[in-house]
Each structure stands twice: as structure tokens, then as C-alpha cells.
Amino acid sequence: MGNTQIHQRPIGRRITPQRAQFRRLAESADIGTVTRAQLAVLAQSLTCTGLINGTESHLLVALINTVPADSFDRSGRLIVFKSNQQLAFEIGRSVGRVSRMLSSLFDAGLITMQDSGNYKRYPIRNGDGEITDGCGIDLRILIVRYAELDELVRQARSQKKAADAALRRYRGALRNARYALAAAARLSEDSLSRLGARIERVSNIVGIAGKASSRVLRRATALLEWLIERMMQLPRRSAEAQKTQNMTCPYVENGMHKQITTPHPFDDSSEERRSAYAEQLSSPKAGSASKWAFEESLRRRRSEINQPRRLRHAMVALQDVLRAVPALKTYGFAPTTWADLARAVPLMCRFAGISEDARARAVEQMGEQQAAVAVAVTLEKYDRQEVNSPGGYLRAMTDRARAGELHLARSVFGLAARNSMEIRH
């Protein structure tokens, strides 16, 4: 029988590259620049960042308070020599729990360990009784990372304040919208039904308001405030400019769009919105508009073919889109790149009530970038109350793109020119 080699299970503290880096970082601490009180306050505040939990924060505060205040002077040693058993007694937890929490604090870069051969913690003193070195829990890394951790706390508090403000405003806007719906007696029953469905659709999109992001809450608030203005029949802020809309950009206007409507403006792709024409009412006029609605006036302006043909296929810049579609800012979108605009398309579609099927067909036919521009133009016209069926409008644009008759750049330039004239007035 041969000799059996027994591999003993390795014991001791686990060493990782990150822990080794924390140890090196702790050696560069400039002791004397941060007081014990500052570190104690920081340790109590770190829970708001999610870096540690409340029990770990309690343990960290106990470690900081163990070090004498004069040790934070230039010649001090920020090493704790208490055993896990003593620390467990002080914070009211088990020894095993304290051991696991110390490992978590080490991994988070809030403490480091200087271990002895038998893992005992003790100080090394000189002839005068002063501590010159020791093996224990080293807190110097807190001094090195104080500015970084303090900034994390400040950011977390700032984000919390912004989130609370957005939550309060959203809840107020939702309550006001429901009150306005009950008080809007001058509107028809069909209009009230559609507006009520949109309000509830926004509420369903947000879901539990306390768990929604600030970005979603701000966009939902903007949409609810717009719905309130519509129910109260308030004039648009740029109402004076409506008188000049025919002369500013006649070729992007179409009165037939105002005849398009749907009783399901915020429904997802469902039985009522499955086909390209199901989003319209059954009237022949609405059906015709569904197929060739977008820029129908261009058909009546064939005599203007002498305009430069390059305008039809011109590529618009993102800044042109932002100038043409102020509704992006109204609904809380602030794209700085084409990728940002493309990522915002699904949420824009949900706000406008465009089905997933209509969006997918637009992307398939036009490409992601052009489809994003088309959705943005649709959102702007929907915000101006010039389009009652955004889904049908986008499908009509997709049909015209398939037929090679979509003049998307011209629409963008026309909207930008109209907005510029409205600003001047």
C-alpha cells in the first residue's frame, strides 16, 4: 500500500488582490488631518450609501471610539486590539457575526487587518510604554478615503432629496389630475373617458411611486400637468403663434390628422391595435388618413418639385431635432447623443400611446436612428394636440417610408422654423 498524501485545509484570513491594495493604501495615511469625531459621523452616515448596513455601521463606530482621541494626532496609531469576543459583547452580537462583519468591512475598504502568527491582537510598546506597532484592526484607510466616502454620502443625500421632491410632485400632480377630471364638465363624455384612461395609464406605468426612479416620476409629472391643462382647456403657452402656423410650415400640416382618434390611446399592442389600420376609427376619412396621412399636403404641392432634391434626403443633426421637438424637454428627455435618443424611444412611445408593434415596424423600415426621429416628431405633434392617434400617425410615416415618399428632414426643419418663430413672438 502506497503512502497517502493528505492535503490539509488552508486556514487563516483570505487574501485577495483588493485586500492587498487596501493594505498598501492604508500605509499612505496622513494621520492628523481627520479627527475621531469626523470618522464617527462618517461611519454613521455610510448606511445611506448602501456600502454597509446598520449593524456594520454600529461595529465600525465602536472600533473608531475604541481608539483614543490623541491617537489621531501626528504620532498616533489607529489600531484596535480588542478581540472579537469583546467587540461582540459591546455591540450585542455573536462572535461569529462580528467575524463576518469584520470581513465585510475589510472587503468594503473601510478597515484593514494586521495579523500576527496566531491571529491574536496585541500592541508592541517601547521602553517608555508608547505603542510603536501592533497587530489588530487598522483604521488608517478611513483617513485615506475620508474625502471619497464623504462625497458618496453627500451624493446619496442629494439624490434622496431629489427623489423625495419628485415623489411629492408626482403624487400632487396625480391627485390634481383626478380632481381636474371630475371637475371638467365642459368636455364631452368621450373626451373625459380618454383622458381618464390616460391618467390611469400613467399611474400604471409608474407603478409603486415610492419605488420608481426620479427620472420616471419627473416625466410622469410633466405628462400629468399637460393633461390637467388640457382638461382645464387652458390656451397653449405659445397660443399666439398658432395664427401663423400655416405660413411657417404649411407642408407639414394636415387637417386630416385631427380626424384620427382611438379609444385606446395608452393600450399596449392588443386586439384593438394589432393591424396598421386598427388604430383608427371606422370612418372612411380616418382610414384614408391612416394610410397616407403624414405630410399629405406634399401630395398637393407637386408644383414645388423645383426645390432642391437634397432636402428630401438630408440628414438632420441631433441639435435640429432638439430645436424641432421641445416636447422632449417637456417630458424630461435630454438626449446628448443619438444613442440616448434611441434608448428613450420606448418610453416616448408609452407616453404617446404608440404600440410596440408600431414602433417595431418603424425601426424595421427606417432604421433605429430615423425611427427615433419619427417618434420624436410624433410626440411633438401629439403634444401640440395636432395628432389624436400617435400610433396611426407613426404607421402612416412607416408606410410612406416604405413607398419612398417620407420627407422626415423637411418635417424636422419645418417644426424647428415654427418653434423659432413662436419664440420670437
Side-chain angles (χ1 to χ4, degrees), residues 146-417:
Y146 178 79
E148 172 195 350
L149 296 173
D150 186 57
E151 181 61 25
L152 283 178
V153 172
R154 292 177 185 274
Q155 291 178 1
R157 288 175 175 170
S158 176
Q159 292 172 0
K160 175 61 175 175
K161 289 181 180 179
D164 289 344
L167 179 60
R168 288 193 297 269
R169 186 175 179 186
Y170 164 74
R171 285 174 172 168
L174 182 60
R175 181 177 60 251
N176 292 338
R178 287 169 174 165
Y179 285 161
L181 183 65
R186 292 181 294 176
L187 298 178
S188 64
E189 184 177 349
D190 185 54
S191 297
L192 290 176
S193 176
R194 291 200 305 270
L195 290 170
R198 291 175 181 177
I199 292 173
E200 295 308 315
R201 178 64 175 166
V202 171
S203 177
N204 293 335
I205 290 174
V206 173
I208 301 176
K211 296 182 179 180
S213 65
S214 300
R215 186 180 182 185
V216 171
L217 291 175
R218 286 194 297 267
R219 292 175 178 175
T221 300
L223 183 55
L224 289 172
E225 291 175 348
W226 175 81
L227 289 174
I228 292 173
E229 293 181 358
R230 186 173 180 181
M231 284 186 286
M232 296 293 100
Q233 297 183 342
L234 298 179
R236 290 180 56 87
R237 292 179 176 86
S238 56
E240 299 82 7
Q242 297 297 327
K243 300 176 183 179
T244 60
Q245 73 177 41
N246 290 334
M247 69 179 67
T248 56
C249 187
Y251 48 81
V252 296
E253 292 300 318
N254 181 13
M256 296 181 70
H257 295 316
K258 299 179 182 180
Q259 304 298 326
I260 304 173
T261 185
T262 171
H264 309 281
F266 276 87
D267 288 350
D268 292 328
S269 182
S270 60
E271 197 69 34
E272 293 85 355
R273 302 171 66 91
R274 186 160 295 169
S275 70
Y277 304 102
E279 299 184 57
Q280 316 303 325
L281 291 180
S282 58
S283 67
K285 189 174 182 180
S288 175
S290 169
K291 187 175 182 181
W292 300 111
F294 183 66
E295 297 173 346
E296 184 64 19
S297 58
L298 290 177
R299 286 182 172 274
R300 301 191 301 269
R301 301 178 67 86
R302 295 293 185 180
S303 60
E304 298 181 5
I305 294 298
N306 57 348
Q307 293 183 352
R309 292 181 59 84
R310 61 181 178 84
L311 182 62
R312 181 186 306 180
H313 305 287
M315 294 297 294
V316 297
L318 180 60
Q319 292 302 320
D320 295 328
V321 177
L322 297 179
R323 288 189 294 108
V325 188
L328 289 174
K329 185 176 180 180
T330 301
Y331 286 85
F333 300 102
T336 57
T337 63
W338 286 111
D340 292 341
L341 183 63
R343 283 191 292 268
V345 166
L347 194 53
M348 283 193 291
C349 289
R350 294 176 73 178
F351 280 155
I354 298 174
S355 66
E356 177 64 24
D357 179 66
R359 181 179 72 86
R361 291 189 181 187
V363 172
E364 179 182 0
Q365 184 61 40
M366 306 181 199
E368 188 173 359
Q369 180 172 320
Q370 291 296 93
V373 176
V375 171
V377 170
T378 304
L379 181 66
E380 173 65 19
K381 287 182 172 288
Y382 179 66
D383 183 61
R384 289 174 171 269
Q385 303 183 31
E386 298 170 2
V387 172
N388 291 328
S389 176
Y393 191 83
L394 182 62
R395 289 184 188 276
M397 295 172 74
T398 304
D399 291 341
R400 291 185 66 85
R402 184 181 298 110
E405 300 181 2
L406 180 63
H407 305 270
L408 192 56
R410 184 174 295 176
S411 297
V412 171
F413 296 144
L415 284 172

Side-chain angles (χ1 to χ4, degrees), residues 45-251:
S45 303
L46 282 176
T47 53
C48 69
T49 65
L51 194 61
I52 57 176
N53 58 35
T55 308
E56 292 167 347
S57 173
H58 187 192
L59 176 60
L60 187 57
V61 172
L63 293 173
I64 294 171
N65 290 333
T66 299
V67 181
D70 55 4
S71 296
F72 286 82
D73 296 336
R74 290 288 179 181
S75 59
R77 297 283 179 177
L78 306 185
I79 301 178
V80 178
F81 307 110
K82 288 182 178 179
S83 65
N84 288 357
Q85 185 175 5
Q86 179 63 28
L87 292 172
F89 172 76
E90 292 183 1
I91 68 172
R93 295 293 186 271
S94 67
V95 177
R97 179 72 180 278
V98 169
S99 178
R100 291 191 295 272
M101 286 193 294
L102 288 175
S103 295
S104 298
L105 293 175
F106 200 170
D107 291 332
L110 301 178
I111 63 171
T112 58
M113 300 286 191
Q114 294 188 23
D115 296 322
S116 62
N118 58 0
Y119 292 96
K120 298 295 182 180
R121 297 169 187 158
Y122 56 84
I124 300 175
R125 303 178 184 272
N126 58 14
D128 298 330
E130 297 177 350
I131 298 177
T132 59
D133 202 354
C135 296
I137 304 171
D138 192 348
L139 301 179
R140 290 179 297 174
I141 193 171
L142 284 176
I143 294 179
V144 178
R145 301 186 63 194
Y146 178 79
E148 172 195 350
L149 296 173
D150 186 57
E151 181 61 25
L152 283 178
V153 172
R154 292 177 185 274
Q155 291 178 1
R157 288 175 175 170
S158 176
Q159 292 172 0
K160 175 61 175 175
K161 289 181 180 179
D164 289 344
L167 179 60
R168 288 193 297 269
R169 186 175 179 186
Y170 164 74
R171 285 174 172 168
L174 182 60
R175 181 177 60 251
N176 292 338
R178 287 169 174 165
Y179 285 161
L181 183 65
R186 292 181 294 176
L187 298 178
S188 64
E189 184 177 349
D190 185 54
S191 297
L192 290 176
S193 176
R194 291 200 305 270
L195 290 170
R198 291 175 181 177
I199 292 173
E200 295 308 315
R201 178 64 175 166
V202 171
S203 177
N204 293 335
I205 290 174
V206 173
I208 301 176
K211 296 182 179 180
S213 65
S214 300
R215 186 180 182 185
V216 171
L217 291 175
R218 286 194 297 267
R219 292 175 178 175
T221 300
L223 183 55
L224 289 172
E225 291 175 348
W226 175 81
L227 289 174
I228 292 173
E229 293 181 358
R230 186 173 180 181
M231 284 186 286
M232 296 293 100
Q233 297 183 342
L234 298 179
R236 290 180 56 87
R237 292 179 176 86
S238 56
E240 299 82 7
Q242 297 297 327
K243 300 176 183 179
T244 60
Q245 73 177 41
N246 290 334
M247 69 179 67
T248 56
C249 187
Y251 48 81

